[in-house]
């Protein structure tokens, strides 16, 4: 079985981003960029399925400018067999991401598609579900455990009320939640080796997909600031303060 | 223009998220002069629709009661929803930003070939909405050019609407087809006598500083005295101390209680994203430089293993 994994280049989660002076966008210039943490979990799961003999090939795909080669090389260094770069310098919103991936799915015909549940920049949590819709596949979102059983995949989903287990017909789209696994680290020698491996590139035009954004950004502003309050000396003072505010 | 709200329920009763979502829908209805319809879709859920018909300010309840919809499988529900939206010419589809809303709505939006606007916190006008990005470190104002607007609502940003006092009709819709793509196997619903995180008035949360899952018992004791819910940071979930449904943060639940007590939580950006709209924040942490103190109304620099039992005894 071939597994297709979607990966996105995002600002490192530990960086507090700043907004551009003209309030048009978040300023990501010169910031440390990484593979979106949930996409890392998706890659890891694909690699584990390959290592356990369930999958035969892991193909990582990323959409964006040439700068996302860096993240694709990380995927190669982690153990992906091939990587595909869908090249565009335009803004690609989730619906367009899903359409582009759908075109790649038609070419590659994977047995399983793994995404992260959301990217930590846009926080949209849409692309996996949208790809599943467009490709007519079943979807297992917020996955914390998966296993392939015959022509189905069992997915344990972390939902608001607890855990839900569903069986999905393959091929399916699964989006990774935090606890699906703990991703491995990239080793430096592997990263060096990955630099010599090829990156397949395909343009949006070649895929014939209209990626015109449906949503336009009017402004990007700072959220209302919350300022630090006071320090209390002990528990008794804390309880007294909270009582006087009517919070207890 | 007309608005379709997707009700969140468990086939027995409406869940709290529906009430917050209705407030957002009503704000939109006022700005656009639209009517609101509420869709109750499930299996053996007519009692939910009956109860929903008492919600003031809505035009009608649509009841989709069908075995294929009982478990809310998106493969069955999304195409059904799409047909309904087309047939009744809805211009807005609104769902709460719960795991159910996040699961179902993008699938329906893609089938309709429209964008989805996730997690709105404010409605500017008929086409323009505000939502947090980068874990709430920036607020993005978006204008949609789609004829049908699909959006999920950040429930903590809207007060709950009244669910009783009105009266409207219930229209029973046709059966849904089983797409044959997915099967429900089982669910483990977390049973707790404590309130749900997403609508608790007080939340006591623990972080990596708790050191183990067993130590969360200290927080549970405090919570029980306060009638509070117990939450956790991603670090505590990551470390395996507690299950993920307790996670408060960018990738967990977004909460805004009257009182949030953060215990042994350092205050990573992604945790703050989930709780910084709480009315009063209390932080208990032995590291006086922990970033959580930058957002806390009351900070106590102390060893939590001393402070938490003391707090419990003083309540």
């Amino acid at each position: 079985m071939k597994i297709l994994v979607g990966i996105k280049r995002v600002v490192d989660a530990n960086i507090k981003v700043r907004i551009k002076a003209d309030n048009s966008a978040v300023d990501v210039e010169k910031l440390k960029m990484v593979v979106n943490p949930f996409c890392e979990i998706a890659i890891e799961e694909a690699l584990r399925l390959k290592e356990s003999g369930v999958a035969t090939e892991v193909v990582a795909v990323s959409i964006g400018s040439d700068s996302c080669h860096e993240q694709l090389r990380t995927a190669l260094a982690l153990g992906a067999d091939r990587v595909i770069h869908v090249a565009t310098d335009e803004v690609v919103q989730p619906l367009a991401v899903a359409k582009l991936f759908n075109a790649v799915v038609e070419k590659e015909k994977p047995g399983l598609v793994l995404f992260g549940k959301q990217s930590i920049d846009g926080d949209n949590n849409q692309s996996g579900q949208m790809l599943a819709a467009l490709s007519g596949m079943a979807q297992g979102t917020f996955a914390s455990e998966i296993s392939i059983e015959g022509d189905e995949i069992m997915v344990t989903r972390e939902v608001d009320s607890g855990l839900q287990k569903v069986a999905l017909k393959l091929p399916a789209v699964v989006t990774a939640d935090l606890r699906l696994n703990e991703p491995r680290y990239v080793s430096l020698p592997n990263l060096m080796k990955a630099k010599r491996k090829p990156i397949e590139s395909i343009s949006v035009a070649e895929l014939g997909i209209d990626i015109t954004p449906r949503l336009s950004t009017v402004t990007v502003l700072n959220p209302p600031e919350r300022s630090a309050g006071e320090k209390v000396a002990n528990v008794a003072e804390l309880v007294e303060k909270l009582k006087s505010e009517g919070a207890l | 223009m007309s608005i379709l709200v997707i009700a969140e329920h468990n086939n027995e009763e409406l869940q709290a998220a529906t009430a917050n979502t209705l407030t957002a829908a009503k704000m939109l209805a006022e700005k656009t002069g639209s009517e609101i319809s509420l869709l109750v879709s499930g299996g053996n859920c007519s009692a939910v629709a009956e109860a929903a018909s008492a919600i003031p300010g809505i035009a009608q309840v649509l009841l989709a009661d069908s075995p294929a919809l009982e478990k809310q499988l998106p493969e069955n529900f999304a195409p059904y929803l799409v047909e309904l939206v087309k047939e009744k010419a809805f211009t807005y589809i609104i769902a709460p930003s719960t795991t159910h809303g996040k699961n179902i709505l993008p699938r329906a939006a893609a089938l309709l070939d429209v964008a989805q606007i996730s997690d709105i916190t404010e409605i500017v006008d008929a086409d323009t909405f505000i939502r947090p990005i980068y874990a709430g470190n920036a607020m993005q104002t978006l204008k949609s050019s789609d004829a049908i607007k699909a959006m999920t609502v950040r429930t903590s940003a809207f007060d709950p609407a009244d669910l009783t006092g009105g009266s409207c009709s219930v229209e029973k819709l046709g059966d849904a087809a089983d797409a044959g793509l997915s099967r429900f196997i089982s669910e483990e619903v977390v049973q707790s006598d404590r309130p749900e995180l997403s609508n608790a008035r007080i939340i006591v949360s623990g972080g990596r500083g708790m050191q183990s899952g067993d130590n969360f018992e200290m927080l549970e004791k405090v919570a029980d005295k306060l009638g509070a819910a117990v939450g956790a940071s991603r670090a505590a979930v990551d470390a395996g101390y507690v299950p993920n449904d307790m996670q408060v943060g960018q990738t967990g639940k977004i909460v805004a209680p009257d009182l949030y007590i953060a215990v042994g939580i350092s205050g990573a950006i992604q945790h703050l994203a989930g709780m910084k709209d709480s009315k009063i924040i209390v932080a208990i942490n032995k590291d006086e430089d922990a970033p959580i103190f930058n957002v806390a109304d009351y900070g106590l620099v102390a060893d939590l293993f001393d402070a938490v039992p003391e707090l419990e005894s003083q309540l």
Side-chain angles (χ1 to χ4, degrees), chain B residues 4 23 66 71 75 78 102 116 133 187 199 203 243 256 284 303:
Chain B
L4 180 66
T23 297
S66 180
K71 296 300 180 185
E75 296 78 12
K102 291 172 183 173
Q116 178 185 300
I133 54 174
E187 64 194 329
N199 55 3
I203 295 173
I284 300 173
D303 187 329

Side-chain angles (χ1 to χ4, degrees), chain A residues 117 141 152 158 214 226 245, chain B residues 183 244 251 278 297-298:
Chain A
K117 73 165 176 179
T141 52
E152 285 184 326
E158 302 209 336
R214 308 293 184 81
R226 190 167 183 126
E245 281 218 45
Chain B
R183 292 182 297 129
N244 189 47
T251 63
S278 306
D297 299 282
Y298 299 108

Side-chain angles (χ1 to χ4, degrees), chain A residues 1-6 39-60 79-81 112-115 146 176 180-181 184:
Chain A
M1 183 173 71
K2 183 195 285 190
I3 302 180
L4 203 68
V5 186
C39 303
E40 270 189 310
I41 297 173
I43 300 174
E44 177 66 33
E45 198 64 17
L47 296 174
R48 288 184 190 191
L49 286 170
K50 192 182 167 199
E51 285 157 1
S52 65
V54 175
T56 48
E57 189 182 23
V58 175
V59 182
D81 298 291
L112 175 66
V113 180
L114 283 167
F115 272 26
I146 63 173
L180 186 57
N181 58 52
R184 68 195 68 185

